[in-house]
Protein backbone atom coordinates (compact mmCIF):
# COMPACT_ATOMS: atom_id res chain seq x y z
CA UNK A 1 0.00 0.00 0.00
CA UNK A 2 1.07 3.55 -0.66
CA UNK A 3 2.67 5.27 2.35
CA UNK A 4 1.08 8.40 3.82
CA UNK A 5 3.54 11.29 3.94
CA UNK A 6 3.42 13.94 6.65
CA UNK A 7 5.77 16.90 7.01
CA UNK A 8 8.17 15.25 9.46
CA UNK A 9 7.49 11.52 9.16
CA UNK A 10 6.04 8.91 6.85
CA UNK A 11 3.46 6.24 7.63
CA UNK A 12 3.85 2.89 5.92
CA UNK A 13 0.43 1.26 5.59
CA UNK A 14 -1.02 -2.22 5.09
CA UNK A 15 -4.37 -3.53 3.91
CA UNK A 16 -4.55 -5.62 7.10
CA UNK A 17 -4.00 -2.71 9.50
CA UNK A 18 -6.38 0.20 9.97
CA UNK A 19 -5.11 3.01 7.75
CA UNK A 20 -4.40 6.67 8.42
CA UNK A 21 -7.74 8.37 8.98
CA UNK A 22 -9.20 11.66 10.12
CA UNK A 23 -10.07 10.32 13.59
CA UNK A 24 -6.44 9.50 14.33
CA UNK A 25 -5.20 12.81 12.96
CA UNK A 26 -7.71 14.74 15.07
CA UNK A 27 -6.81 12.90 18.27
CA UNK A 28 -3.09 13.30 17.58
CA UNK A 29 -3.53 17.04 17.07
CA UNK A 30 -6.08 17.76 19.82
CA UNK A 31 -4.98 15.58 22.76
CA UNK A 32 -3.52 17.35 25.79
CA UNK A 33 0.08 16.09 25.70
CA UNK A 34 1.78 19.30 26.83
CA UNK A 35 2.69 18.23 30.38
CA UNK A 36 3.11 14.50 29.79
CA UNK A 37 6.39 12.68 30.33
CA UNK A 38 5.18 9.08 29.96
CA UNK A 39 2.55 8.34 27.32
CA UNK A 40 0.77 5.05 26.57
CA UNK A 41 -1.13 4.50 23.33
CA UNK A 42 -3.58 1.62 23.33
CA UNK A 43 -4.10 0.12 19.87
CA UNK A 44 -1.36 1.79 17.85
CA UNK A 45 -2.37 0.62 14.37
CA UNK A 46 0.21 2.35 12.19
CA UNK A 47 1.66 4.42 15.06
CA UNK A 48 0.21 7.67 13.70
CA UNK A 49 -1.09 9.12 16.97
CA UNK A 50 2.10 8.49 18.95
CA UNK A 51 4.17 10.01 16.15
CA UNK A 52 2.03 13.14 16.11
CA UNK A 53 2.24 13.46 19.89
CA UNK A 54 6.01 12.91 19.82
CA UNK A 55 6.28 15.78 17.35
CA UNK A 56 4.18 17.98 19.66
CA UNK A 57 6.04 17.09 22.87
CA UNK A 58 9.80 16.74 22.45
CA UNK A 59 10.36 15.54 26.05
CA UNK A 60 7.85 12.70 26.37
CA UNK A 61 8.52 8.98 26.00
CA UNK A 62 5.96 6.75 24.33
CA UNK A 63 4.89 3.13 24.64
CA UNK A 64 2.40 1.61 22.23
CA UNK A 65 0.39 -1.59 22.64
CA UNK A 66 -1.40 -3.53 19.94
CA UNK A 67 -2.91 -7.00 19.90
CA UNK A 68 -2.44 -7.29 16.13
CA UNK A 69 1.04 -8.64 15.38
CA UNK A 70 1.09 -7.11 11.89
CA UNK A 71 0.17 -3.71 13.33
CA UNK A 72 3.02 -4.01 15.83
CA UNK A 73 5.48 -4.71 13.04
CA UNK A 74 4.17 -1.82 10.97
CA UNK A 75 4.27 0.59 13.92
CA UNK A 76 7.82 -0.48 14.72
CA UNK A 77 8.88 0.33 11.15
CA UNK A 78 7.20 3.74 11.28
CA UNK A 79 8.70 4.52 14.69
CA UNK A 80 12.22 3.48 13.68
CA UNK A 81 12.20 5.63 10.56
CA UNK A 82 10.93 8.75 12.31
CA UNK A 83 13.05 11.55 13.82
CA UNK A 84 11.55 10.66 17.23
CA UNK A 85 12.59 6.99 17.19
CA UNK A 86 14.64 7.15 20.40
CA UNK A 87 11.51 8.08 22.41
CA UNK A 88 9.12 5.57 20.85
CA UNK A 89 8.61 1.90 21.70
CA UNK A 90 5.82 -0.54 20.95
CA UNK A 91 5.01 -4.09 21.96
CA UNK A 92 2.69 -6.92 20.94
CA UNK A 93 0.36 -6.94 23.93
CA UNK A 94 -3.28 -7.34 24.93
CA UNK A 95 -4.19 -4.45 27.24
CA UNK A 96 -6.27 -6.79 29.40
CA UNK A 97 -3.10 -8.76 30.24
CA UNK A 98 -0.73 -5.78 30.40
CA UNK A 99 1.12 -5.43 33.69
CA UNK A 100 3.45 -2.59 34.60
CA UNK A 101 4.66 -0.71 37.66
CA UNK A 102 4.80 2.48 35.61
CA UNK A 103 2.09 5.12 35.83
CA UNK A 104 1.34 7.11 32.70
CA UNK A 105 0.69 10.86 32.46
CA UNK A 106 -1.37 10.37 29.32
CA UNK A 107 -3.19 7.27 28.07
CA UNK A 108 -4.54 7.74 24.59
CA UNK A 109 -6.65 5.58 22.31
CA UNK A 110 -8.71 5.57 19.13
CA UNK A 111 -10.50 2.42 20.32
CA UNK A 112 -12.65 -0.12 18.46
CA UNK A 113 -16.15 1.31 18.38
CA UNK A 114 -18.55 -0.95 16.47
CA UNK A 115 -20.27 -3.84 18.18
CA UNK A 116 -19.19 -7.20 16.81
CA UNK A 117 -20.69 -7.98 13.39
CA UNK A 118 -20.34 -10.49 10.57
CA UNK A 119 -17.93 -8.26 8.66
CA UNK A 120 -14.23 -9.11 8.81
CA UNK A 121 -13.13 -5.69 7.52
CA UNK A 122 -10.66 -4.20 10.05
CA UNK A 123 -12.32 -6.48 12.60
CA UNK A 124 -9.94 -5.97 15.52
CA UNK A 125 -9.36 -2.27 14.87
CA UNK A 126 -13.01 -1.31 14.36
CA UNK A 127 -15.13 -3.82 16.28
CA UNK A 128 -15.26 -4.32 20.03
CA UNK A 129 -14.12 -7.93 19.68
CA UNK A 130 -10.91 -7.74 21.69
CA UNK A 131 -11.52 -4.55 23.71
CA UNK A 132 -14.71 -2.80 24.73
CA UNK A 133 -15.03 0.63 26.31
CA UNK A 134 -15.49 -0.65 29.85
CA UNK A 135 -12.36 -2.82 29.60
CA UNK A 136 -10.41 0.15 28.25
CA UNK A 137 -11.52 2.37 31.12
CA UNK A 138 -10.97 -0.20 33.88
CA UNK A 139 -7.50 -1.08 32.60
CA UNK A 140 -6.54 2.59 32.21
CA UNK A 141 -7.54 3.49 35.77
CA UNK A 142 -4.98 1.00 37.12
CA UNK A 143 -2.01 2.53 35.29
CA UNK A 144 -2.93 6.22 35.03
CA UNK A 145 -0.96 8.63 37.20
CA UNK A 146 -2.89 10.57 39.85
CA UNK A 147 -2.64 13.71 37.70
CA UNK A 148 -2.91 11.76 34.43
CA UNK A 149 -5.31 12.16 31.51
CA UNK A 150 -7.23 9.52 29.55
CA UNK A 151 -7.89 10.82 26.02
CA UNK A 152 -10.07 9.07 23.41
CA UNK A 153 -11.99 9.68 20.22
CA UNK A 154 -15.29 7.80 19.89
CA UNK A 155 -18.60 8.03 17.99
CA UNK A 156 -20.92 10.72 19.31
CA UNK A 157 -23.70 8.25 20.08
CA UNK A 158 -21.40 6.35 22.45
CA UNK A 159 -20.43 9.45 24.42
CA UNK A 160 -22.95 9.37 27.27
CA UNK A 161 -22.29 5.71 28.00
CA UNK A 162 -18.52 6.19 27.94
CA UNK A 163 -18.71 9.21 30.26
CA UNK A 164 -20.98 7.33 32.69
CA UNK A 165 -18.71 4.27 32.76
CA UNK A 166 -15.67 6.47 33.30
CA UNK A 167 -17.39 8.25 36.20
CA UNK A 168 -18.25 4.89 37.80
CA UNK A 169 -14.51 4.19 37.74
CA UNK A 170 -13.49 7.54 39.30
CA UNK A 171 -12.58 9.22 36.01
CA UNK A 172 -14.34 12.51 35.40
CA UNK A 173 -14.80 14.38 32.14
CA UNK A 174 -12.58 17.45 31.88
CA UNK A 175 -12.81 18.22 28.16
CA UNK A 176 -15.22 17.44 25.34
CA UNK A 177 -14.70 18.37 21.68
CA UNK A 178 -17.74 17.85 19.44
CA UNK A 179 -16.46 16.91 15.98
CA UNK A 180 -18.67 17.69 12.99
CA UNK A 181 -17.89 16.51 9.49
CA UNK A 182 -19.31 19.64 7.91
CA UNK A 183 -20.84 22.88 9.12
CA UNK A 184 -24.46 22.66 10.31
CA UNK A 185 -24.32 18.87 10.55
CA UNK A 186 -24.74 16.60 13.56
CA UNK A 187 -21.79 15.80 15.78
CA UNK A 188 -20.24 12.55 14.54
CA UNK A 189 -17.24 12.07 16.85
CA UNK A 190 -16.23 13.15 20.33
CA UNK A 191 -12.76 13.77 21.70
CA UNK A 192 -13.10 13.11 25.42
CA UNK A 193 -10.51 13.66 28.14
CA UNK A 194 -10.78 12.47 31.74
CA UNK A 195 -9.08 13.11 35.08
CA UNK A 196 -9.39 11.60 38.54
CA UNK A 197 -10.48 15.05 39.80
CA UNK A 198 -13.85 16.66 39.10
CA UNK A 199 -13.74 20.11 37.54
CA UNK A 200 -15.83 22.22 35.14
CA UNK A 201 -15.93 20.63 31.69
CA UNK A 202 -14.30 22.48 28.79
CA UNK A 203 -16.59 21.95 25.79
CA UNK A 204 -16.05 23.12 22.22
CA UNK A 205 -17.13 22.36 18.65
CA UNK A 206 -14.82 21.53 15.78
CA UNK A 207 -15.76 21.40 12.08
CA UNK A 208 -13.64 19.41 9.62
CA UNK A 209 -15.04 20.74 6.33
CA UNK A 210 -16.75 24.05 5.60
CA UNK A 211 -18.28 22.50 2.47
CA UNK A 212 -17.81 19.11 0.73
CA UNK A 213 -14.08 18.50 0.08
CA UNK A 214 -13.21 21.96 1.40
CA UNK A 215 -11.35 21.80 4.71
CA UNK A 216 -12.34 24.34 7.32
CA UNK A 217 -9.90 27.03 8.41
CA UNK A 218 -9.88 25.39 11.86
CA UNK A 219 -8.81 22.02 10.46
CA UNK A 220 -6.12 23.57 8.29
CA UNK A 221 -4.76 25.51 11.25
CA UNK A 222 -4.87 22.51 13.58
CA UNK A 223 -3.00 20.23 11.20
CA UNK A 224 -0.65 22.68 9.51
CA UNK A 225 2.44 21.25 11.23
CA UNK A 226 1.55 17.74 10.04
CA UNK A 227 -0.35 17.59 6.77
CA UNK A 228 1.19 18.33 3.39
CA UNK A 229 -1.72 19.86 1.52
CA UNK A 230 -3.35 23.06 0.38
CA UNK A 231 -7.00 23.85 0.79
CA UNK A 232 -8.82 23.32 -2.47
CA UNK A 233 -10.41 26.26 -4.18
Amino acid sequence: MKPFTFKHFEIQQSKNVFRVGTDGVLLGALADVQNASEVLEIGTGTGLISLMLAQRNSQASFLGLDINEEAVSLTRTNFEHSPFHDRLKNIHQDLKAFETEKKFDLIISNPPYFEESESDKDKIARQTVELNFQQLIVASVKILADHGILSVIIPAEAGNGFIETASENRLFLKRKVNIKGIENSKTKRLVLEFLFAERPVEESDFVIEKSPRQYSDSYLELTKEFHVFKNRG
Side-chain angles (χ1 to χ4, degrees), residues 101-138:
E101 296 297 318
K102 184 177 289 187
K103 298 289 187 178
F104 294 92
D105 307 305
L106 173 64
I107 297 177
I108 193 158
S109 185
N110 176 12
Y113 49 77
F114 294 128
E115 293 301 318
E116 188 171 357
S117 70
E118 295 300 313
S119 172
D120 284 329
K121 180 173 174 58
D122 297 320
K123 190 165 187 175
I124 291 175
R126 299 187 65 152
Q127 298 178 29
T128 57
V129 178
E130 297 292 347
L131 183 71
N132 62 39
F133 289 159
Q134 180 164 354
Q135 290 166 333
L136 170 63
I137 291 165
V138 169

Side-chain angles (χ1 to χ4, degrees), residues 23 26-28 30-32 42 49 106-111 133 136-137 140 149-155 158-159 162-163 166 171 173 175-177 179 189-194:
D23 285 4
L26 286 169
L27 188 58
L30 286 168
D32 184 358
I42 298 167
I49 295 170
L106 173 64
I107 297 177
I108 193 158
S109 185
N110 176 12
F133 289 159
L136 170 63
I137 291 165
S140 296
I149 295 170
L150 171 64
S151 182
V152 300
I153 185 166
I154 61 171
F162 196 105
I163 293 166
L171 280 175
L173 186 65
R175 182 181 177 212
K176 180 182 182 185
V177 184
I179 308 291
R189 295 283 187 270
L190 300 173
V191 170
L192 303 176
E193 295 192 330
F194 299 86

Side-chain angles (χ1 to χ4, degrees), residues 80-103:
E80 288 174 352
H81 289 87
S82 79
F84 326 113
H85 61 88
D86 58 333
R87 298 186 285 119
L88 294 158
K89 179 183 177 183
N90 78 308
I91 56 176
H92 183 216
Q93 179 71 61
D94 183 345
L95 175 66
K96 299 188 294 296
F98 179 55
E99 295 184 1
T100 179
E101 296 297 318
K102 184 177 289 187
K103 298 289 187 178

